[in-house]
Every structure is written in C-alpha cells, then in structure tokens.
Coordinates of all heavy atoms in Angstrom, one line a residue:
M1 N 23.7 31.6 17.5 CA 23.7 30.4 16.7 C 22.8 30.6 15.5 O 21.8 31.3 15.5 CB 23.2 29.3 17.5 CG 23.5 28.0 16.9 SD 23.4 26.7 18.2 CE 22.4 25.5 17.4
V2 N 23.1 30.0 14.4 CA 22.4 30.2 13.1 C 21.3 29.1 13.0 O 21.5 27.9 13.2 CB 23.3 30.1 11.9 CG1 22.6 30.1 10.6 CG2 24.4 31.1 11.9
D3 N 20.1 29.5 12.6 CA 19.0 28.6 12.4 C 19.0 28.2 10.9 O 18.5 29.0 10.1 CB 17.7 29.2 12.8 CG 16.5 28.3 12.7 OD1 16.7 27.1 12.3 OD2 15.4 28.7 13.0
V4 N 19.5 27.0 10.6 CA 19.7 26.6 9.2 C 18.3 26.5 8.6 O 18.2 26.8 7.3 CB 20.4 25.2 9.2 CG1 20.4 24.7 7.8 CG2 21.8 25.4 9.8
S5 N 17.3 26.1 9.3 CA 16.0 25.9 8.7 C 15.4 27.2 8.1 O 14.5 27.2 7.3 CB 15.0 25.3 9.7 OG 14.7 26.2 10.7
Q6 N 15.9 28.4 8.5 CA 15.4 29.7 8.0 C 16.2 30.2 6.8 O 15.9 31.2 6.3 CB 15.4 30.7 9.2 CG 14.5 30.3 10.3 CD 13.1 30.0 9.9 OE1 12.5 30.8 9.2 NE2 12.6 28.9 10.3
H7 N 17.2 29.4 6.4 CA 18.0 29.9 5.3 C 17.2 29.9 4.0 O 16.3 29.0 3.8 CB 19.3 28.9 5.1 CG 20.3 29.5 4.2 ND1 20.2 29.4 2.9 CD2 21.4 30.1 4.5 CE1 21.2 30.0 2.2 NE2 22.0 30.4 3.2
N8 N 17.5 30.9 3.1 CA 16.6 31.0 1.9 C 16.8 29.8 0.9 O 16.0 29.7 0.0 CB 16.9 32.3 1.2 CG 18.3 32.4 0.7 OD1 19.2 31.7 1.0 ND2 18.5 33.5 -0.1
L9 N 17.8 29.0 1.0 CA 18.0 27.9 0.1 C 17.4 26.6 0.7 O 17.3 25.6 -0.1 CB 19.5 27.6 -0.2 CG 20.2 28.8 -0.9 CD1 21.7 28.4 -1.1 CD2 19.5 29.0 -2.3
V10 N 16.9 26.6 1.9 CA 16.3 25.4 2.5 C 14.8 25.4 2.2 O 14.1 26.4 2.4 CB 16.5 25.4 4.0 CG1 15.7 24.2 4.6 CG2 17.9 25.3 4.4
P11 N 14.3 24.4 1.5 CA 12.9 24.3 1.1 C 12.0 24.3 2.4 O 12.4 23.9 3.4 CB 12.7 23.1 0.3 CG 13.9 22.2 0.6 CD 15.0 23.1 1.1
E12 N 10.7 24.6 2.1 CA 9.7 24.6 3.2 C 9.5 23.2 3.7 O 9.2 22.3 2.9 CB 8.4 25.2 2.7 CG 7.3 25.2 3.7 CD 6.0 25.7 3.1 OE1 6.0 26.3 2.0 OE2 5.0 25.3 3.7
H13 N 9.6 22.9 5.0 CA 9.3 21.6 5.6 C 8.1 21.8 6.6 O 8.1 22.6 7.4 CB 10.5 21.1 6.4 CG 11.7 20.7 5.6 ND1 12.3 21.6 4.8 CD2 12.3 19.5 5.5 CE1 13.3 20.9 4.2 NE2 13.3 19.7 4.6
T14 N 7.1 20.9 6.4 CA 5.9 21.0 7.2 C 5.5 19.6 7.7 O 5.4 18.7 6.9 CB 4.7 21.6 6.4 OG1 5.1 22.8 5.7 CG2 3.5 21.8 7.2
V15 N 5.3 19.5 9.0 CA 4.8 18.2 9.6 C 3.3 18.1 9.3 O 2.5 19.0 9.5 CB 5.0 18.2 11.1 CG1 4.5 16.9 11.7 CG2 6.5 18.3 11.4
L16 N 2.9 16.9 8.7 CA 1.5 16.7 8.3 C 0.8 16.1 9.5 O 1.3 15.3 10.3 CB 1.5 15.7 7.2 CG 2.1 16.1 5.9 CD1 1.9 15.0 4.8 CD2 1.6 17.4 5.4
D17 N -0.5 16.4 9.6 CA -1.3 15.8 10.6 C -1.8 14.4 10.2 O -1.6 14.0 9.0 CB -2.5 16.7 11.1 CG -3.5 17.0 9.9 OD1 -3.7 16.1 9.0 OD2 -4.1 18.0 9.9
R18 N -2.4 13.7 11.0 CA -2.8 12.3 10.8 C -3.7 12.2 9.5 O -3.5 11.3 8.7 CB -3.6 11.7 12.0 CG -3.9 10.3 11.8 CD -4.6 9.8 13.1 NE -3.8 10.1 14.3 CZ -3.2 9.2 15.0 NH1 -3.3 7.9 14.8 NH2 -2.5 9.5 16.1
E19 N -4.7 13.1 9.4 CA -5.6 13.0 8.2 C -4.8 13.3 6.9 O -5.1 12.6 5.9 CB -6.7 14.0 8.4 CG -7.7 14.0 7.3 CD -8.9 15.0 7.5 OE1 -9.2 15.2 8.7 OE2 -9.3 15.5 6.5
E20 N -3.9 14.2 6.9 CA -3.2 14.6 5.7 C -2.3 13.4 5.3 O -2.1 13.0 4.1 CB -2.3 15.8 5.9 CG -3.1 17.1 6.0 CD -2.2 18.2 6.5 OE1 -1.4 18.1 7.4 OE2 -2.5 19.3 5.9
V21 N -1.7 12.7 6.3 CA -0.8 11.5 6.1 C -1.7 10.4 5.4 O -1.2 9.8 4.4 CB -0.2 11.0 7.4 CG1 0.5 9.7 7.1 CG2 0.8 12.0 7.9
E22 N -2.8 10.2 5.9 CA -3.7 9.1 5.4 C -4.1 9.5 3.9 O -4.1 8.5 3.1 CB -5.0 8.9 6.2 CG -4.7 8.4 7.6 CD -3.9 7.0 7.5 OE1 -4.2 6.2 6.7 OE2 -3.0 6.8 8.4
N23 N -4.3 10.7 3.6 CA -4.7 11.1 2.3 C -3.5 10.9 1.3 O -3.7 10.4 0.2 CB -5.1 12.6 2.2 CG -6.4 12.9 2.9 OD1 -7.2 11.9 3.0 ND2 -6.6 14.1 3.3
V24 N -2.3 11.2 1.8 CA -1.1 11.0 0.9 C -0.8 9.5 0.7 O -0.6 9.1 -0.5 CB 0.2 11.6 1.6 CG1 1.4 11.2 0.9 CG2 0.1 13.1 1.6
L25 N -0.9 8.7 1.7 CA -0.7 7.3 1.6 C -1.7 6.6 0.7 O -1.4 5.8 -0.1 CB -0.7 6.6 3.0 CG 0.4 7.1 4.0 CD1 0.2 6.3 5.3 CD2 1.8 6.9 3.4
S26 N -3.0 7.0 0.8 CA -4.0 6.4 -0.1 C -3.9 6.9 -1.5 O -4.1 6.2 -2.4 CB -5.4 6.7 0.5 OG -5.7 8.1 0.4
E27 N -3.5 8.2 -1.7 CA -3.3 8.7 -3.0 C -2.2 8.0 -3.8 O -2.4 7.7 -5.0 CB -3.0 10.2 -3.0 CG -2.7 10.9 -4.3 CD -2.3 12.3 -4.2 OE1 -2.5 12.9 -3.1 OE2 -1.8 12.9 -5.2
Y28 N -1.1 7.6 -3.1 CA 0.0 7.0 -3.8 C -0.1 5.5 -3.6 O 0.8 4.7 -4.1 CB 1.3 7.5 -3.2 CG 1.6 8.9 -3.7 CD1 1.4 10.0 -2.8 CD2 1.9 9.2 -5.0 CE1 1.6 11.3 -3.2 CE2 2.1 10.6 -5.4 CZ 1.9 11.6 -4.5 OH 2.1 12.9 -4.9
D29 N -1.1 5.0 -2.8 CA -1.3 3.5 -2.5 C 0.0 2.9 -2.0 O 0.6 1.9 -2.5 CB -1.7 2.8 -3.8 CG -2.2 1.4 -3.5 OD1 -2.6 1.1 -2.3 OD2 -2.1 0.5 -4.4
I30 N 0.5 3.5 -0.9 CA 1.7 3.1 -0.2 C 1.5 3.0 1.3 O 0.5 3.5 1.8 CB 2.9 4.0 -0.6 CG1 2.6 5.4 -0.1 CG2 3.3 4.0 -2.0 CD1 3.8 6.4 -0.2
R31 N 2.5 2.4 1.9 CA 2.5 2.4 3.4 C 3.4 3.5 3.9 O 4.3 3.9 3.1 CB 3.0 1.0 3.9 CG 2.1 -0.1 3.5 CD 2.7 -1.4 4.0 NE 4.1 -1.5 3.6 CZ 4.6 -2.5 2.9 NH1 3.9 -3.6 2.7 NH2 5.8 -2.5 2.6
R32 N 3.3 3.8 5.1 CA 4.2 4.9 5.7 C 5.7 4.5 5.6 O 6.5 5.4 5.2 CB 3.8 5.0 7.2 CG 4.6 6.1 7.9 CD 4.2 6.1 9.4 NE 2.8 6.5 9.5 CZ 2.5 7.8 10.0 NH1 3.4 8.7 10.2 NH2 1.2 8.1 10.1
T33 N 6.0 3.2 5.7 CA 7.4 2.8 5.7 C 7.9 2.8 4.2 O 9.1 2.7 4.0 CB 7.5 1.4 6.3 OG1 6.6 0.5 5.6 CG2 7.3 1.4 7.8
D34 N 7.1 3.0 3.2 CA 7.5 3.0 1.8 C 8.1 4.4 1.5 O 8.7 4.6 0.5 CB 6.4 2.7 0.9 CG 5.9 1.2 1.0 OD1 6.8 0.4 1.3 OD2 4.8 0.9 0.7
L35 N 7.8 5.4 2.3 CA 8.2 6.7 2.0 C 9.8 6.9 2.2 O 10.3 6.1 3.0 CB 7.6 7.7 3.0 CG 6.1 8.0 2.8 CD1 5.5 8.7 4.1 CD2 5.9 8.8 1.6
P36 N 10.4 7.7 1.4 CA 11.8 8.0 1.7 C 12.0 8.5 3.1 O 11.0 9.1 3.7 CB 12.1 9.1 0.7 CG 11.1 9.0 -0.3 CD 9.9 8.5 0.4
K37 N 13.2 8.4 3.7 CA 13.4 8.7 5.1 C 14.2 10.0 5.2 O 14.9 10.4 4.3 CB 14.2 7.6 5.7 CG 13.7 6.2 5.6 CD 12.4 6.0 6.0 CE 11.9 4.5 5.9 NZ 11.4 4.0 4.7
I38 N 14.0 10.7 6.3 CA 14.8 11.9 6.7 C 15.1 11.7 8.2 O 14.2 11.3 9.0 CB 14.1 13.2 6.4 CG1 15.0 14.4 6.6 CG2 12.7 13.3 7.2 CD1 14.4 15.7 6.1
Q39 N 16.3 11.9 8.6 CA 16.8 11.8 10.0 C 16.2 12.9 10.8 O 16.2 14.1 10.4 CB 18.3 11.6 10.0 CG 18.7 10.4 9.4 CD 20.2 10.1 9.7 OE1 21.0 11.1 10.0 NE2 20.6 8.9 9.6
R40 N 15.9 12.6 12.1 CA 15.4 13.5 13.0 C 16.3 14.7 13.3 O 16.0 15.8 13.5 CB 15.0 12.8 14.3 CG 14.6 13.8 15.5 CD 13.4 14.6 15.1 NE 13.3 15.8 16.0 CZ 13.6 17.0 15.7 NH1 14.0 17.4 14.5 NH2 13.5 18.0 16.5
R41 N 17.6 14.4 13.2 CA 18.6 15.4 13.5 C 18.9 16.3 12.3 O 19.8 17.2 12.3 CB 19.9 14.8 14.0 CG 20.6 13.8 13.0 CD 21.9 13.3 13.6 NE 22.5 12.4 12.7 CZ 22.4 11.0 12.8 NH1 21.6 10.5 13.8 NH2 23.0 10.2 12.0
D42 N 18.2 16.1 11.2 CA 18.4 17.0 10.0 C 18.0 18.4 10.4 O 16.9 18.7 10.9 CB 17.5 16.5 8.8 CG 17.8 17.2 7.6 OD1 17.7 18.5 7.5 OD2 18.1 16.5 6.6
A43 N 18.9 19.3 10.2 CA 18.7 20.7 10.6 C 17.6 21.4 9.9 O 17.0 22.4 10.5 CB 20.0 21.5 10.3
A44 N 17.1 21.0 8.8 CA 16.0 21.6 8.1 C 14.7 21.3 8.7 O 13.7 22.0 8.4 CB 16.1 21.2 6.6
L45 N 14.6 20.2 9.5 CA 13.3 19.8 10.0 C 12.7 20.8 11.0 O 13.5 21.4 11.8 CB 13.4 18.5 10.7 CG 13.4 17.2 9.9 CD1 13.6 16.0 10.7 CD2 12.1 17.1 9.1
P46 N 11.4 21.0 11.0 CA 10.8 21.9 12.1 C 11.1 21.3 13.5 O 11.3 20.1 13.6 CB 9.3 21.8 11.8 CG 9.2 21.3 10.4 CD 10.4 20.4 10.2
D47 N 11.1 22.1 14.5 CA 11.4 21.7 15.8 C 10.4 20.7 16.4 O 10.7 19.9 17.2 CB 11.5 22.9 16.8 CG 12.7 23.7 16.5 OD1 13.7 23.2 16.0 OD2 12.7 25.0 16.8
D48 N 9.1 20.8 15.9 CA 8.1 19.9 16.4 C 8.1 18.5 15.7 O 7.2 17.7 16.0 CB 6.7 20.6 16.3 CG 6.3 20.9 14.9 OD1 7.2 21.0 14.0 OD2 5.1 21.1 14.7
A49 N 9.0 18.3 14.8 CA 9.0 17.0 14.1 C 9.5 15.9 15.0 O 10.5 16.1 15.7 CB 9.8 17.1 12.8
E50 N 8.8 14.8 15.1 CA 9.2 13.6 15.9 C 9.4 12.4 15.0 O 8.8 12.3 13.9 CB 8.2 13.4 17.0 CG 8.0 14.6 17.9 CD 7.0 14.3 19.0 OE1 6.4 13.2 19.0 OE2 6.7 15.2 19.8
V51 N 10.1 11.4 15.5 CA 10.3 10.2 14.8 C 8.9 9.6 14.5 O 8.0 9.5 15.4 CB 11.1 9.2 15.7 CG1 11.1 7.8 15.0 CG2 12.5 9.7 15.8
G52 N 8.6 9.2 13.3 CA 7.3 8.6 12.9 C 6.5 9.6 12.1 O 5.5 9.2 11.5
D53 N 6.8 10.9 12.3 CA 6.0 11.9 11.6 C 6.3 11.9 10.0 O 7.4 11.4 9.6 CB 6.4 13.3 12.1 CG 5.8 13.6 13.4 OD1 4.9 12.9 13.8 OD2 6.2 14.6 14.1
V54 N 5.4 12.4 9.3 CA 5.6 12.5 7.8 C 5.7 14.1 7.6 O 4.9 14.8 8.1 CB 4.5 11.9 7.0 CG1 4.6 12.2 5.5 CG2 4.4 10.4 7.3
V55 N 6.8 14.4 6.8 CA 7.1 15.8 6.5 C 6.8 16.1 5.0 O 7.3 15.3 4.2 CB 8.5 16.1 6.9 CG1 8.9 17.6 6.6 CG2 8.7 15.9 8.4
K56 N 6.2 17.2 4.8 CA 6.0 17.6 3.4 C 7.0 18.6 3.1 O 7.2 19.6 3.8 CB 4.6 18.2 3.2 CG 4.3 18.8 1.9 CD 2.9 19.4 1.9 CE 2.5 20.1 0.6 NZ 1.2 20.7 0.7
I57 N 7.7 18.4 2.0 CA 8.8 19.3 1.6 C 8.4 19.9 0.2 O 8.2 19.2 -0.7 CB 10.2 18.6 1.5 CG1 10.5 17.9 2.8 CG2 11.3 19.6 1.1 CD1 11.7 17.0 2.8
V58 N 8.4 21.3 0.2 CA 8.0 22.0 -1.1 C 9.2 22.7 -1.6 O 9.8 23.6 -0.9 CB 6.9 23.0 -0.8 CG1 6.5 23.7 -2.1 CG2 5.7 22.3 -0.2
R59 N 9.7 22.2 -2.8 CA 10.9 22.8 -3.4 C 10.5 23.6 -4.7 O 9.5 23.2 -5.3 CB 11.8 21.7 -3.8 CG 12.4 20.9 -2.7 CD 13.4 19.9 -3.2 NE 14.0 19.1 -2.1 CZ 13.9 17.8 -2.0 NH1 13.3 17.1 -2.9 NH2 14.5 17.2 -1.0
D60 N 11.3 24.6 -5.0 CA 11.1 25.3 -6.3 C 11.5 24.3 -7.4 O 12.4 23.5 -7.3 CB 11.9 26.5 -6.3 CG 11.5 27.6 -5.4 OD1 10.3 27.6 -5.0 OD2 12.3 28.4 -5.0
S61 N 10.7 24.5 -8.5 CA 11.0 23.6 -9.7 C 10.9 24.5 -11.0 O 10.0 25.3 -11.1 CB 10.0 22.5 -9.7 OG 10.1 21.8 -11.0
R62 N 11.8 24.3 -11.9 CA 11.8 25.0 -13.1 C 10.6 24.5 -14.0 O 10.1 25.3 -14.7 CB 13.1 24.8 -13.9 CG 14.3 25.5 -13.3 CD 15.4 25.3 -14.2 NE 16.6 25.1 -13.4 CZ 17.8 24.7 -13.9 NH1 17.9 24.5 -15.2 NH2 18.8 24.5 -13.1
T63 N 10.3 23.3 -13.9 CA 9.3 22.8 -14.8 C 7.8 22.8 -14.3 O 6.9 22.9 -15.1 CB 9.6 21.3 -15.2 OG1 9.7 20.5 -14.0 CG2 10.9 21.3 -16.0
T64 N 7.7 22.7 -13.0 CA 6.3 22.6 -12.4 C 6.0 23.7 -11.4 O 5.1 23.6 -10.7 CB 6.1 21.2 -11.8 OG1 7.0 21.1 -10.7 CG2 6.2 20.1 -12.8
D65 N 6.9 24.7 -11.3 CA 6.8 25.8 -10.4 C 7.2 25.3 -9.0 O 8.0 26.0 -8.3 CB 5.4 26.4 -10.4 CG 5.3 27.7 -9.6 OD1 6.3 28.4 -9.6 OD2 4.3 28.0 -9.0
E66 N 6.6 24.2 -8.5 CA 7.0 23.7 -7.2 C 6.9 22.2 -7.2 O 6.1 21.6 -7.9 CB 6.2 24.2 -6.1 CG 4.7 23.8 -6.0 CD 4.0 24.4 -4.9 OE1 4.4 25.4 -4.3 OE2 3.0 23.9 -4.5
A67 N 7.8 21.5 -6.6 CA 7.8 20.0 -6.4 C 7.6 19.7 -5.0 O 8.2 20.2 -4.1 CB 9.2 19.5 -6.9
I68 N 6.6 18.8 -4.8 CA 6.3 18.4 -3.4 C 6.7 16.9 -3.2 O 6.4 16.0 -4.0 CB 4.8 18.5 -3.2 CG1 4.3 19.9 -3.3 CG2 4.4 18.0 -1.8 CD1 2.8 20.1 -3.3
V69 N 7.5 16.7 -2.1 CA 7.9 15.4 -1.7 C 7.6 15.1 -0.3 O 7.4 16.1 0.5 CB 9.4 15.2 -2.0 CG1 9.8 15.3 -3.4 CG2 10.2 16.2 -1.2
Y70 N 7.5 13.9 0.1 CA 7.2 13.5 1.4 C 8.2 12.6 2.0 O 8.8 11.8 1.3 CB 5.8 12.7 1.5 CG 4.7 13.6 0.9 CD1 4.3 13.5 -0.4 CD2 4.0 14.5 1.7 CE1 3.3 14.3 -0.9 CE2 3.0 15.3 1.3 CZ 2.6 15.2 -0.1 OH 1.6 16.0 -0.6
R71 N 8.6 12.8 3.3 CA 9.6 12.0 4.0 C 9.1 11.5 5.3 O 8.4 12.3 6.0 CB 10.9 12.9 4.2 CG 11.5 13.4 2.9 CD 12.3 12.3 2.2 NE 13.0 12.8 1.1 CZ 12.6 12.8 -0.2 NH1 11.4 12.3 -0.4 NH2 13.3 13.2 -1.2
L72 N 9.5 10.4 5.7 CA 9.2 9.8 7.0 C 10.4 10.1 7.9 O 11.5 9.8 7.6 CB 9.0 8.3 6.9 CG 8.8 7.6 8.2 CD1 7.5 8.0 8.9 CD2 8.8 6.1 8.0
V73 N 10.1 10.7 9.1 CA 11.2 11.1 10.0 C 11.6 9.8 10.8 O 10.7 9.1 11.4 CB 10.7 12.1 11.0 CG1 11.8 12.5 12.0 CG2 10.2 13.4 10.3
V74 N 12.9 9.5 10.8 CA 13.5 8.4 11.5 C 14.5 8.9 12.4 O 15.0 10.0 12.3 CB 14.0 7.3 10.5 CG1 12.9 6.7 9.6 CG2 15.1 7.9 9.6
E75 N 15.0 8.0 13.3 CA 16.0 8.3 14.3 C 17.3 8.5 13.8 O 17.8 8.2 12.8 CB 16.0 7.3 15.4 CG 16.5 7.9 16.7 CD 16.2 7.0 17.9 OE1 15.1 6.4 17.9 OE2 17.1 6.8 18.7

C-alpha cells in the first residue's frame, strides 16, 4: 500500500503541542474554531493527528520560500 503522506508533492504536516497552539492563537488573536479545517481522514495527516489537534502545514512558496498555514483537525 502507498503512503500518500510521504509523496514528494505533499507538504510537511506537523501536529502542534498545546503551547505551540496557544502561541499561534494569541499571535493571530483568534480562537481554535476560527482556524480552517482539515478532515481526520485526509491522507496527508500524520498518523498521530486526532480530532481537535492543530496541524502546521509548511508549503513551498515562490515569493516567501515557504508558506505556513494552520488547520484544525475535524471528524
């Protein structure tokens, strides 16, 4: 079986710990539920991602070298 998360076109996905989540939320002055959502069954998510976790996604960018986005894992 193929592990889609290891494909070279899939950006890096990392589950944030509680402290990192609080830093992100305070930096952007938002609540957890204000974050864009990603479904738990998304093949790109790490195996340890659970509903309610916040995932940091790092994508390549032509203008800024890398673009960082955050997503809330939902069912």
